[in-house]
Amino acid sequence: MTRGKLTLFCGALGLIAASFALADEPQAAHVPPDPPQRPMGDMPYRPMAAMMQMDDTAGTGKVLLDQLEWRSAAEGDAAVWDAEGWYGGDSNKVWLRSEGERVGGRTQNARADLLWDQAFARWWRVQAGGRQDFGAGPPRTWVALGLQGLAPYWFDTEATFYVGEQGRMAVRLKTEYELFFTQRLILQPEGEANLYSKADPARQLGAGLSDLEIGLRLRYELRRECAPYIGIVWSRQFGGTADHVRESGWNPSAVRFAAGLRAWF
C-alpha cells in the first residue's frame, strides 16, 4: 500500500471511531429558562390593547359588491347589482344589503334591507330590521327577521322572514358556495327563492313561490379585492307571477349570460 493510500485509510478509520465515540456519549438534556421573576400585574384594557397593537372591541367595516354585472335579456340588456356592507364588532353589527336590476333604463325588482346583526353561535347570526322594495310598482315596506351563516359543508346561507302591510308575509332564501380550482380561479354557484303569502298585482307578484334563480359564475381574482367574472343565470317565475310575465309578452323561464365584477373594500 502506498503512503498516500495508507494516510487516507487511517483518516477514514479515525472518523469512524470518532462517530462511535460521540454516539456513546449521553446527550445533554434541554434546560428551560427560568420563569419571569416579575409577573405582569393587571393592566387596563386600553393600555394593554395599545401595547399589544390588538383591540378586539374596535369596530370594523366592509363593503362587498358581490355582483355588479351585465346580463343579456330578451326585453333588453340588464344591469344587475347585489351588494352588502356592515359595520360593528365581533358580536353586533349594523348590516345593509341591496339587490335589484335595471332593464331599459328602468329599475325593477329592487330591495334594500337595513338590519341589526347579532352573533349567537360560532357560525350563525340572527338579524332583525326592515326592508324597502322600490322600482316598478308602488313601494312596499316590511319588518324583517332572519338567520345568516355557514351551513354544513360551507354553504353561505340566508333565510329571512318578512311581515308587511295589509297582512302580507314573505320569505327569502339564498345560498351560495365557493369552489376553488386555484387560489385565484373560483367557481361560485348560487341559488335564491322568494315566496309571498298574498298576491300583489301592483308589483306583478303572485301568491306562493314567486321566483327561483340559479346562477353559476366563474371569477378570477386579480387581487382578493377585485375579481372579474363570467357566468350563466337561469331564472323562473311561478304561479301568479308567471301569469303576469306572460301577460307582458315575455317568457317566465329564461337563461341569461352574465359578465361583471366582484369587489370589496
Side-chain angles (χ1 to χ4, degrees):
M1 181 180 294
T2 63
R3 179 174 296 180
K5 292 182 179 180
L6 181 61
T7 303
L8 182 61
F9 179 72
C10 291
L13 288 178
L15 289 174
I16 294 172
S19 64
F20 278 107
L22 289 174
D24 292 338
E25 291 183 359
Q27 299 295 319
H30 172 71
V31 179
D34 293 333
Q37 300 301 313
R38 296 180 180 179
M40 181 180 294
D42 294 338
M43 180 181 295
Y45 180 82
R46 291 302 172 189
M48 181 184 68
M51 181 185 68
M52 299 181 67
Q53 298 182 355
M54 181 176 66
D55 187 357
D56 292 336
T57 64
T60 58
K62 180 178 180 179
V63 175
L64 170 63
L65 303 176
D66 193 35
Q67 297 170 21
L68 186 61
E69 68 185 31
W70 162 89
R71 289 185 191 176
S72 63
E75 59 270 27
D77 293 343
V80 179
W81 75 88
D82 185 350
E84 62 183 31
W86 53 259
Y87 181 84
D90 292 338
S91 299
N92 297 283
K93 295 180 177 68
V94 176
W95 206 286
L96 176 65
R97 63 189 184 207
S98 176
E99 65 178 47
E101 64 178 351
R102 286 180 62 84
V103 181
R106 296 182 58 190
T107 301
Q108 301 179 357
N109 303 324
R111 65 174 65 95
D113 294 58
L114 181 60
L115 306 166
W116 179 258
D117 179 278
Q118 169 72 54
F120 69 92
R122 177 175 295 180
W123 306 112
W124 290 96
R125 305 182 298 273
V126 62
Q127 298 174 328
R131 162 180 151 182
Q132 182 69 36
D133 292 350
F134 55 98
R140 301 295 187 210
T141 303
W142 309 78
V143 175
L145 178 65
L147 296 175
Q148 182 172 348
L150 284 177
Y153 302 101
W154 303 99
F155 284 88
D156 193 353
T157 304
E158 300 175 18
T160 312
F161 175 71
Y162 300 96
V163 177
E165 305 164 274
Q166 302 176 0
R168 293 188 178 93
M169 292 181 289
V171 175
R172 175 178 176 267
L173 304 173
K174 182 178 180 180
T175 187
E176 62 183 37
Y177 185 78
E178 292 187 337
L179 179 62
F180 284 73
F181 293 129
T182 70
Q183 289 298 312
R184 294 182 180 272
L185 188 63
I186 302 165
L187 183 66
Q188 184 180 28
E190 178 188 75
E192 179 178 337
N194 290 280
L195 301 93
Y196 295 91
S197 64
K198 289 185 176 183
D200 189 354
R203 292 190 64 87
Q204 297 189 343
L205 295 173
L209 177 60
S210 172
D211 59 88
L212 175 65
E213 181 176 285
I214 298 175
L216 195 63
R217 295 171 177 84
L218 180 66
R219 72 176 185 265
Y220 183 80
E221 295 186 342
L222 303 174
R223 299 176 58 186
R224 294 302 181 197
E225 303 89 344
C226 181
Y229 64 83
I230 57 173
I232 187 170
V233 180
W234 173 80
S235 60
R236 177 75 164 88
Q237 282 80 33
F238 299 90
T241 305
D243 293 338
H244 288 297
V245 173
R246 293 188 187 97
E247 290 172 1
S248 300
W250 307 112
N251 191 334
S253 179
V255 176
R256 303 180 179 182
F257 295 98
L261 179 70
R262 184 180 190 269
W264 59 266
F265 53 89

